mmCIF file of all heavy atoms in Angstrom:
data_model
loop_
_atom_site.group_PDB
_atom_site.id
_atom_site.type_symbol
_atom_site.label_atom_id
_atom_site.label_comp_id
_atom_site.label_asym_id
_atom_site.label_seq_id
_atom_site.Cartn_x
_atom_site.Cartn_y
_atom_site.Cartn_z
ATOM 1 N N PHE A 1 87.730 5.831 -37.393
ATOM 2 C CA PHE A 1 87.983 5.606 -35.978
ATOM 3 C C PHE A 1 88.965 6.637 -35.430
ATOM 4 O O PHE A 1 88.793 7.147 -34.324
ATOM 5 C CB PHE A 1 88.488 4.182 -35.713
ATOM 6 C CG PHE A 1 88.675 3.902 -34.247
ATOM 7 C CD1 PHE A 1 87.566 3.748 -33.425
ATOM 8 C CD2 PHE A 1 89.929 3.818 -33.693
ATOM 9 C CE1 PHE A 1 87.718 3.512 -32.061
ATOM 10 C CE2 PHE A 1 90.093 3.581 -32.339
ATOM 11 C CZ PHE A 1 88.988 3.429 -31.523
ATOM 12 N N ILE A 2 89.983 6.967 -36.216
ATOM 13 C CA ILE A 2 90.932 8.007 -35.797
ATOM 14 C C ILE A 2 90.207 9.342 -35.635
ATOM 15 O O ILE A 2 90.494 10.100 -34.701
ATOM 16 C CB ILE A 2 92.103 8.136 -36.806
ATOM 17 C CG1 ILE A 2 92.975 6.888 -36.765
ATOM 18 C CG2 ILE A 2 92.929 9.390 -36.543
ATOM 19 C CD1 ILE A 2 93.700 6.667 -35.453
ATOM 20 N N SER A 3 89.241 9.621 -36.506
ATOM 21 C CA SER A 3 88.488 10.869 -36.359
ATOM 22 C C SER A 3 87.645 10.847 -35.089
ATOM 23 O O SER A 3 87.478 11.884 -34.438
ATOM 24 C CB SER A 3 87.629 11.156 -37.592
ATOM 25 O OG SER A 3 86.521 10.299 -37.663
ATOM 26 N N VAL A 4 87.132 9.672 -34.695
ATOM 27 C CA VAL A 4 86.412 9.533 -33.422
ATOM 28 C C VAL A 4 87.352 9.870 -32.268
ATOM 29 O O VAL A 4 87.008 10.653 -31.379
ATOM 30 C CB VAL A 4 85.841 8.101 -33.253
ATOM 31 C CG1 VAL A 4 85.409 7.844 -31.818
ATOM 32 C CG2 VAL A 4 84.690 7.856 -34.208
ATOM 33 N N ILE A 5 88.537 9.282 -32.281
ATOM 34 C CA ILE A 5 89.508 9.521 -31.215
ATOM 35 C C ILE A 5 89.880 11.009 -31.148
ATOM 36 O O ILE A 5 89.916 11.600 -30.063
ATOM 37 C CB ILE A 5 90.774 8.652 -31.416
ATOM 38 C CG1 ILE A 5 90.440 7.162 -31.282
ATOM 39 C CG2 ILE A 5 91.872 9.057 -30.443
ATOM 40 C CD1 ILE A 5 89.966 6.732 -29.907
ATOM 41 N N ALA A 6 90.129 11.613 -32.295
ATOM 42 C CA ALA A 6 90.493 13.037 -32.327
ATOM 43 C C ALA A 6 89.368 13.899 -31.767
ATOM 44 O O ALA A 6 89.611 14.851 -31.008
ATOM 45 C CB ALA A 6 90.843 13.461 -33.746
ATOM 46 N N GLU A 7 88.133 13.568 -32.118
ATOM 47 C CA GLU A 7 87.001 14.341 -31.613
ATOM 48 C C GLU A 7 86.812 14.134 -30.109
ATOM 49 O O GLU A 7 86.500 15.074 -29.382
ATOM 50 C CB GLU A 7 85.722 13.988 -32.367
ATOM 51 C CG GLU A 7 84.617 14.964 -32.075
ATOM 52 C CD GLU A 7 83.445 14.890 -33.035
ATOM 53 O OE1 GLU A 7 83.581 14.298 -34.118
ATOM 54 O OE2 GLU A 7 82.386 15.432 -32.675
ATOM 55 N N LEU A 8 87.026 12.896 -29.642
ATOM 56 C CA LEU A 8 86.946 12.638 -28.201
ATOM 57 C C LEU A 8 88.014 13.424 -27.448
ATOM 58 O O LEU A 8 87.740 13.987 -26.385
ATOM 59 C CB LEU A 8 87.103 11.149 -27.907
ATOM 60 C CG LEU A 8 85.943 10.243 -28.303
ATOM 61 C CD1 LEU A 8 86.288 8.790 -28.023
ATOM 62 C CD2 LEU A 8 84.672 10.646 -27.572
ATOM 63 N N GLU A 9 89.217 13.466 -28.006
ATOM 64 C CA GLU A 9 90.298 14.216 -27.361
ATOM 65 C C GLU A 9 89.936 15.699 -27.260
ATOM 66 O O GLU A 9 90.128 16.323 -26.215
ATOM 67 C CB GLU A 9 91.607 14.026 -28.122
ATOM 68 C CG GLU A 9 92.212 12.647 -27.948
ATOM 69 C CD GLU A 9 93.531 12.470 -28.665
ATOM 70 O OE1 GLU A 9 93.770 13.132 -29.707
ATOM 71 O OE2 GLU A 9 94.332 11.656 -28.178
ATOM 72 N N ALA A 10 89.403 16.248 -28.338
ATOM 73 C CA ALA A 10 89.051 17.667 -28.355
ATOM 74 C C ALA A 10 87.851 17.960 -27.451
ATOM 75 O O ALA A 10 87.860 18.935 -26.697
ATOM 76 C CB ALA A 10 88.753 18.120 -29.785
ATOM 77 N N ALA A 11 86.829 17.119 -27.505
ATOM 78 C CA ALA A 11 85.600 17.371 -26.752
ATOM 79 C C ALA A 11 85.760 17.129 -25.256
ATOM 80 O O ALA A 11 85.130 17.814 -24.445
ATOM 81 C CB ALA A 11 84.477 16.488 -27.299
ATOM 82 N N CYS A 12 86.610 16.168 -24.904
ATOM 83 C CA CYS A 12 86.725 15.770 -23.494
ATOM 84 C C CYS A 12 88.028 16.202 -22.847
ATOM 85 O O CYS A 12 88.226 15.979 -21.646
ATOM 86 C CB CYS A 12 86.567 14.257 -23.379
ATOM 87 S SG CYS A 12 85.011 13.652 -24.048
ATOM 88 N N GLY A 13 88.937 16.784 -23.613
ATOM 89 C CA GLY A 13 90.205 17.237 -23.059
ATOM 90 C C GLY A 13 91.093 16.105 -22.577
ATOM 91 O O GLY A 13 91.746 16.217 -21.547
ATOM 92 N N VAL A 14 91.091 14.998 -23.327
ATOM 93 C CA VAL A 14 91.900 13.830 -22.963
ATOM 94 C C VAL A 14 92.904 13.538 -24.069
ATOM 95 O O VAL A 14 92.808 14.098 -25.163
ATOM 96 C CB VAL A 14 91.014 12.581 -22.710
ATOM 97 C CG1 VAL A 14 90.071 12.813 -21.541
ATOM 98 C CG2 VAL A 14 90.235 12.187 -23.959
ATOM 99 N N THR A 15 93.841 12.643 -23.781
ATOM 100 C CA THR A 15 94.819 12.217 -24.769
ATOM 101 C C THR A 15 94.881 10.697 -24.766
ATOM 102 O O THR A 15 94.989 10.082 -23.705
ATOM 103 C CB THR A 15 96.211 12.782 -24.441
ATOM 104 O OG1 THR A 15 96.123 14.208 -24.390
ATOM 105 C CG2 THR A 15 97.233 12.368 -25.485
ATOM 106 N N PHE A 16 94.795 10.110 -25.939
ATOM 107 C CA PHE A 16 94.913 8.667 -26.087
ATOM 108 C C PHE A 16 96.345 8.316 -26.469
ATOM 109 O O PHE A 16 96.999 9.056 -27.192
ATOM 110 C CB PHE A 16 93.937 8.151 -27.153
ATOM 111 C CG PHE A 16 92.514 8.129 -26.680
ATOM 112 C CD1 PHE A 16 91.706 9.243 -26.804
ATOM 113 C CD2 PHE A 16 91.984 6.994 -26.093
ATOM 114 C CE1 PHE A 16 90.402 9.239 -26.356
ATOM 115 C CE2 PHE A 16 90.678 6.973 -25.645
ATOM 116 C CZ PHE A 16 89.883 8.098 -25.777
ATOM 117 N N GLU A 17 96.813 7.199 -25.964
ATOM 118 C CA GLU A 17 98.154 6.709 -26.268
ATOM 119 C C GLU A 17 98.167 6.115 -27.675
ATOM 120 O O GLU A 17 97.128 5.731 -28.216
ATOM 121 C CB GLU A 17 98.573 5.649 -25.251
ATOM 122 C CG GLU A 17 98.591 6.137 -23.820
ATOM 123 C CD GLU A 17 99.544 7.293 -23.584
ATOM 124 O OE1 GLU A 17 100.641 7.308 -24.192
ATOM 125 O OE2 GLU A 17 99.192 8.194 -22.809
ATOM 126 N N LEU A 18 99.348 5.994 -28.257
ATOM 127 C CA LEU A 18 99.508 5.487 -29.615
ATOM 128 C C LEU A 18 98.852 4.119 -29.795
ATOM 129 O O LEU A 18 98.165 3.877 -30.785
ATOM 130 C CB LEU A 18 100.993 5.425 -29.974
ATOM 131 C CG LEU A 18 101.339 5.097 -31.406
ATOM 132 C CD1 LEU A 18 100.716 6.105 -32.370
ATOM 133 C CD2 LEU A 18 102.838 5.057 -31.607
ATOM 134 N N GLU A 19 99.035 3.226 -28.830
ATOM 135 C CA GLU A 19 98.460 1.875 -28.955
ATOM 136 C C GLU A 19 96.932 1.873 -28.853
ATOM 137 O O GLU A 19 96.292 0.901 -29.232
ATOM 138 C CB GLU A 19 99.068 0.916 -27.928
ATOM 139 C CG GLU A 19 98.845 1.290 -26.488
ATOM 140 C CD GLU A 19 99.919 2.206 -25.911
ATOM 141 O OE1 GLU A 19 100.831 2.655 -26.645
ATOM 142 O OE2 GLU A 19 99.838 2.488 -24.713
ATOM 143 N N GLU A 20 96.342 2.969 -28.390
ATOM 144 C CA GLU A 20 94.885 3.070 -28.286
ATOM 145 C C GLU A 20 94.246 3.612 -29.562
ATOM 146 O O GLU A 20 93.024 3.693 -29.653
ATOM 147 C CB GLU A 20 94.501 3.975 -27.117
ATOM 148 C CG GLU A 20 94.920 3.442 -25.764
ATOM 149 C CD GLU A 20 94.642 4.407 -24.640
ATOM 150 O OE1 GLU A 20 95.082 5.584 -24.715
ATOM 151 O OE2 GLU A 20 93.991 3.977 -23.675
ATOM 152 N N LEU A 21 95.050 3.963 -30.547
ATOM 153 C CA LEU A 21 94.527 4.551 -31.775
ATOM 154 C C LEU A 21 94.048 3.519 -32.782
ATOM 155 O O LEU A 21 93.491 3.874 -33.815
ATOM 156 C CB LEU A 21 95.581 5.446 -32.422
ATOM 157 C CG LEU A 21 96.105 6.592 -31.562
ATOM 158 C CD1 LEU A 21 97.108 7.412 -32.338
ATOM 159 C CD2 LEU A 21 94.974 7.449 -31.026
ATOM 160 N N ASN A 22 94.242 2.257 -32.497
ATOM 161 C CA ASN A 22 93.814 1.185 -33.386
ATOM 162 C C ASN A 22 92.477 0.648 -32.906
ATOM 163 O O ASN A 22 92.321 0.303 -31.739
ATOM 164 C CB ASN A 22 94.872 0.069 -33.390
ATOM 165 C CG ASN A 22 94.623 -0.955 -34.461
ATOM 166 O OD1 ASN A 22 93.490 -1.203 -34.852
ATOM 167 N ND2 ASN A 22 95.691 -1.556 -34.936
ATOM 168 N N ILE A 23 91.523 0.535 -33.806
ATOM 169 C CA ILE A 23 90.187 0.069 -33.431
ATOM 170 C C ILE A 23 90.215 -1.325 -32.807
ATOM 171 O O ILE A 23 89.402 -1.648 -31.953
ATOM 172 C CB ILE A 23 89.218 0.130 -34.644
ATOM 173 C CG1 ILE A 23 87.760 -0.009 -34.172
ATOM 174 C CG2 ILE A 23 89.595 -0.904 -35.687
ATOM 175 C CD1 ILE A 23 86.746 0.313 -35.240
ATOM 176 N N SER A 24 91.187 -2.133 -33.177
ATOM 177 C CA SER A 24 91.270 -3.495 -32.626
ATOM 178 C C SER A 24 91.714 -3.499 -31.161
ATOM 179 O O SER A 24 91.637 -4.528 -30.497
ATOM 180 C CB SER A 24 92.199 -4.365 -33.470
ATOM 181 O OG SER A 24 93.512 -3.868 -33.426
ATOM 182 N N ALA A 25 92.138 -2.354 -30.636
ATOM 183 C CA ALA A 25 92.507 -2.252 -29.221
ATOM 184 C C ALA A 25 91.262 -2.191 -28.332
ATOM 185 O O ALA A 25 91.362 -2.301 -27.123
ATOM 186 C CB ALA A 25 93.378 -1.021 -28.996
ATOM 187 N N TRP A 26 90.107 -2.034 -28.941
ATOM 188 C CA TRP A 26 88.849 -1.867 -28.215
ATOM 189 C C TRP A 26 87.854 -2.924 -28.627
ATOM 190 O O TRP A 26 87.777 -3.288 -29.804
ATOM 191 C CB TRP A 26 88.264 -0.492 -28.508
ATOM 192 C CG TRP A 26 89.231 0.608 -28.272
ATOM 193 C CD1 TRP A 26 90.036 1.206 -29.203
ATOM 194 C CD2 TRP A 26 89.539 1.221 -27.030
ATOM 195 N NE1 TRP A 26 90.815 2.164 -28.608
ATOM 196 C CE2 TRP A 26 90.526 2.186 -27.267
ATOM 197 C CE3 TRP A 26 89.069 1.048 -25.734
ATOM 198 C CZ2 TRP A 26 91.046 2.990 -26.259
ATOM 199 C CZ3 TRP A 26 89.587 1.851 -24.734
ATOM 200 C CH2 TRP A 26 90.559 2.801 -25.007
ATOM 201 N N GLU A 27 87.019 -3.386 -27.687
ATOM 202 C CA GLU A 27 85.985 -4.357 -28.032
ATOM 203 C C GLU A 27 84.636 -3.674 -28.247
ATOM 204 O O GLU A 27 84.025 -3.836 -29.296
ATOM 205 C CB GLU A 27 85.865 -5.428 -26.954
ATOM 206 C CG GLU A 27 84.895 -6.522 -27.359
ATOM 207 C CD GLU A 27 84.867 -7.677 -26.392
ATOM 208 O OE1 GLU A 27 85.777 -7.809 -25.575
ATOM 209 O OE2 GLU A 27 83.916 -8.451 -26.475
ATOM 210 N N THR A 28 84.194 -2.904 -27.254
ATOM 211 C CA THR A 28 82.858 -2.313 -27.344
ATOM 212 C C THR A 28 82.906 -0.794 -27.198
ATOM 213 O O THR A 28 83.898 -0.227 -26.748
ATOM 214 C CB THR A 28 81.932 -2.864 -26.242
ATOM 215 O OG1 THR A 28 82.414 -2.425 -24.966
ATOM 216 C CG2 THR A 28 81.835 -4.381 -26.284
ATOM 217 N N VAL A 29 81.792 -0.190 -27.536
ATOM 218 C CA VAL A 29 81.626 1.248 -27.336
ATOM 219 C C VAL A 29 81.763 1.558 -25.844
ATOM 220 O O VAL A 29 82.381 2.552 -25.457
ATOM 221 C CB VAL A 29 80.257 1.716 -27.890
ATOM 222 C CG1 VAL A 29 79.954 3.138 -27.472
ATOM 223 C CG2 VAL A 29 80.216 1.560 -29.406
ATOM 224 N N GLY A 30 81.229 0.685 -24.999
ATOM 225 C CA GLY A 30 81.323 0.875 -23.556
ATOM 226 C C GLY A 30 82.756 0.927 -23.065
ATOM 227 O O GLY A 30 83.081 1.705 -22.155
ATOM 228 N N ASP A 31 83.632 0.114 -23.655
ATOM 229 C CA ASP A 31 85.052 0.138 -23.286
ATOM 230 C C ASP A 31 85.666 1.508 -23.578
ATOM 231 O O ASP A 31 86.431 2.044 -22.779
ATOM 232 C CB ASP A 31 85.841 -0.934 -24.040
ATOM 233 C CG ASP A 31 85.431 -2.342 -23.684
ATOM 234 O OD1 ASP A 31 84.902 -2.561 -22.568
ATOM 235 O OD2 ASP A 31 85.642 -3.238 -24.524
ATOM 236 N N LEU A 32 85.315 2.055 -24.719
ATOM 237 C CA LEU A 32 85.829 3.371 -25.111
ATOM 238 C C LEU A 32 85.269 4.464 -24.195
ATOM 239 O O LEU A 32 85.981 5.388 -23.803
ATOM 240 C CB LEU A 32 85.486 3.649 -26.576
ATOM 241 C CG LEU A 32 86.165 4.821 -27.252
ATOM 242 C CD1 LEU A 32 87.674 4.754 -27.136
ATOM 243 C CD2 LEU A 32 85.759 4.895 -28.715
#
């Protein structure tokens, strides 16, 4: 999941907050 977040940050030019790095912070793919 961390690799997903890292790839999203690189591909989309965004930054996720520390509390967003845990998979349990998200319910669905749509939320992400």
Side-chain angles (χ1 to χ4, degrees):
F1 183 72
I2 292 295
S3 73
V4 166
I5 295 296
E7 192 165 344
L8 289 177
E9 288 182 331
C12 302
V14 298
T15 302
F16 286 87
E17 301 300 323
L18 188 58
E19 61 271 5
E20 296 175 306
L21 302 182
N22 190 330
I23 194 168
S24 64
W26 308 95
E27 186 173 344
T28 66
V29 170
D31 295 335
L32 192 54

